[in-house]
Amino acid sequence: MQSAPPSPEFSRLVSALRFPLILLVVSAHLLPTQLRRPQVEEHYIYSYLVELVSHVLARVAVPLFFFISGYFSFWGKDWRRREVFLPAWRKRLRSVLQPFLLWNALAFVLLSAYSAVTTALGGTPAAPHDPSWTQLPHYFTDRVLDYPLWFMRDLICLTLLSPLIYYLLGLSRGWILLPLALLFVLDREMSVAMLGSRALFFFPLGGWMAIEQLDPIKALGRLRYPLLGLALLLALATPFCSYGAAYPYYRYVLNSFILTGCLSVLAWGQQLLTLPPQLLERSAALSGYVMYTYAAHALLLLDLGRWLAYLWAPLRPSGALPLLGYLLAWGLTVGLCFLTFALFKRLAPRLLRLLYGARL
């Protein structure tokens, strides 16, 4: 099936968004995974702001990556045809499966060495894991060792399921997205090929808009003000929703923000593209670091960035300047990703190409 390429505006927006989205992914991992209600005894403003950034705003990044992947995977492709899905599967084996396996193997080696050295020195490893052969398969399936790579695992599963997704979207004329959206907002996970509700909603949503040849910027642009207003209201309220039994509906509020927040980013795409051209071009140029930063930051670089930032006591969460320490840890982690990328490119370019799949 031949069709016109995606709109130049949406393609430019995606190129400019990739690097800011990966910065949000790094910020999401600066704190423990669970949302905490802002604590008065821990600098209330600091506690609120870091929860807002790491546990609320940052949560739009991966769903947007799923949406973008679905959109470009389905644009101009009839996934019912063998000559379409077989080449797409082969391409995805190199571009996603190969880096996924190699990065996870590298994570196993690095974390095993780190654990061994730390234990020999009498300490306790920060990220203990069982190196036994019985556990090894789980580190490549349900418990990904390089934990951000669960996105790549899900993307592999979604690609294999794309003929079925294409069929269901066509059969339902897109209405299947409504129950998928409801399951996502209500936080009802489904065990389908290890896929969560985020993957099972945002990837088909992008796919449906591609099948219908809709430009997300134009399709959602007229709703940009109500979407942004609702997203801001939900975002600002979410940090006050403590995690756990005290507020069992926390996930409903957060997931509602993720949905409206992602749609808001797309709806305001035309306005984002009016930013200074130099800024957009610089952001697009930095997208070459996205894959590496996504995979590498969790491999001890995040811990090293936090350790360096908190060497000076006032910058620690319990110190007098905790917000500055948080920002410094964020910047140091990204900087370490840039530094190690440059070292890889200079000292082991072949390995870097393998880790990148078909991207470099």
Side-chain angles (χ1 to χ4, degrees):
M1 180 173 67
Q2 299 295 323
S3 64
S7 76
E9 290 80 12
F10 183 64
S11 298
R12 284 181 59 218
L13 178 66
V14 169
S15 296
L17 278 179
R18 283 196 173 106
F19 187 71
L21 290 179
I22 206 63
L23 295 181
L24 288 178
V25 170
V26 174
S27 76
H29 298 144
L30 282 171
L31 300 181
T33 56
Q34 294 184 350
L35 176 79
R36 296 176 66 237
R37 187 186 293 270
Q39 304 295 310
V40 175
E41 65 276 10
E42 297 179 6
H43 302 284
Y44 191 85
I45 299 299
Y46 157 78
S47 183
Y48 175 81
L49 289 176
V50 297
E51 294 293 337
L52 178 66
V53 173
S54 289
H55 285 148
V56 184
L57 300 180
R59 297 298 177 91
V60 304
V62 172
L64 276 172
F65 278 131
F66 275 127
F67 177 91
I68 293 166
S69 297
Y71 191 87
F72 286 103
S73 293
F74 280 74
W75 185 274
K77 294 186 179 70
D78 185 344
W79 280 87
R80 296 168 298 184
R81 299 169 60 180
R82 180 188 295 266
E83 60 268 28
V84 170
F85 64 76
L86 287 180
W89 284 347
R90 285 194 293 268
K91 181 180 179 181
R92 193 53 59 93
L93 283 176
R94 179 178 176 94
S95 64
V96 180
L97 180 59
Q98 175 185 309
F100 172 75
L101 295 176
L102 291 176
W103 276 108
N104 248 347
L106 181 61
F108 183 80
V109 172
L110 288 177
L111 293 178
S112 296
Y114 174 72
S115 296
V117 171
T118 305
T119 303
L121 295 176
T124 302
H129 66 283
D130 184 354
S132 66
W133 288 106
T134 57
Q135 289 299 313
L136 188 59
H138 292 285
Y139 295 144
F140 292 85
T141 52
D142 57 315
R143 295 198 299 273
V144 180
L145 197 55
D146 187 359
Y147 56 86
L149 297 189
W150 69 265
F151 169 78
M152 298 180 72
R153 177 202 64 196
D154 284 16
L155 196 55
I156 294 166
C157 296
L158 288 165
T159 301
L160 295 175
L161 292 173
S162 286
L164 176 61
I165 295 171
Y166 186 94
Y167 173 77
L168 292 175
L169 287 171
L171 182 66
S172 68
R173 297 184 180 180
W175 289 104
I176 194 174
L177 293 169
L178 291 181
L180 291 176
L182 186 62
L183 288 169
F184 167 71
V185 171
L186 296 180
D187 200 38
R188 298 296 185 265
E189 294 291 351
M190 298 170 289
S191 299
V192 180
M194 296 177 289
L195 295 171
S197 58
R198 277 179 292 181
L200 286 171
F201 171 63
F202 284 97
F203 184 86
L205 176 62
W208 174 75
M209 296 193 81
I211 292 170
E212 297 297 322
Q213 296 197 3
L214 296 173
D215 182 343
I217 297 175
K218 295 177 181 177
L220 297 168
R222 66 186 64 183
L223 299 173
R224 63 183 182 274
Y225 287 107
L227 282 172
L228 181 61
L230 184 56
L232 288 175
L233 180 64
L234 291 166
L236 294 174
T238 301
F240 297 109
C241 305
S242 61
Y243 186 90
Y247 194 87
Y249 305 112
Y250 147 72
R251 298 292 305 189
Y252 305 167
V253 181
L254 176 60
N255 289 343
S256 297
F257 160 71
I258 293 172
L259 176 57
T260 55
C262 289
L263 296 180
S264 293
V265 172
L266 299 170
W268 283 84
Q270 197 66 55
Q271 286 68 36
L272 292 173
L273 289 174
T274 62
L275 293 172
Q278 298 88 346
L279 179 62
L280 296 175
E281 291 169 6
R282 182 59 178 166
S283 182
L286 289 171
S287 65
Y289 293 93
V290 167
M291 164 62 185
Y292 182 85
T293 303
Y294 193 91
H297 78 275
L299 297 183
L300 306 180
L301 297 182
L302 189 67
D303 292 334
L304 179 58
R306 281 188 296 224
W307 179 77
L308 290 172
Y310 298 149
L311 281 175
W312 190 37
L315 297 181
R316 297 170 188 168
S318 58
L321 302 169
L323 187 58
L324 183 58
Y326 171 86
L327 294 173
L328 182 60
W330 192 355
L332 284 171
T333 301
V334 175
L336 287 168
C337 290
F338 278 58
L339 175 62
T340 54
F341 178 89
L343 291 173
F344 256 116
K345 196 170 183 179
R346 183 175 182 84
L347 301 177
R350 292 183 180 179
L351 176 58
L352 185 61
R353 282 195 292 271
L354 289 173
L355 290 171
Y356 255 66
R359 292 178 176 83
L360 193 63

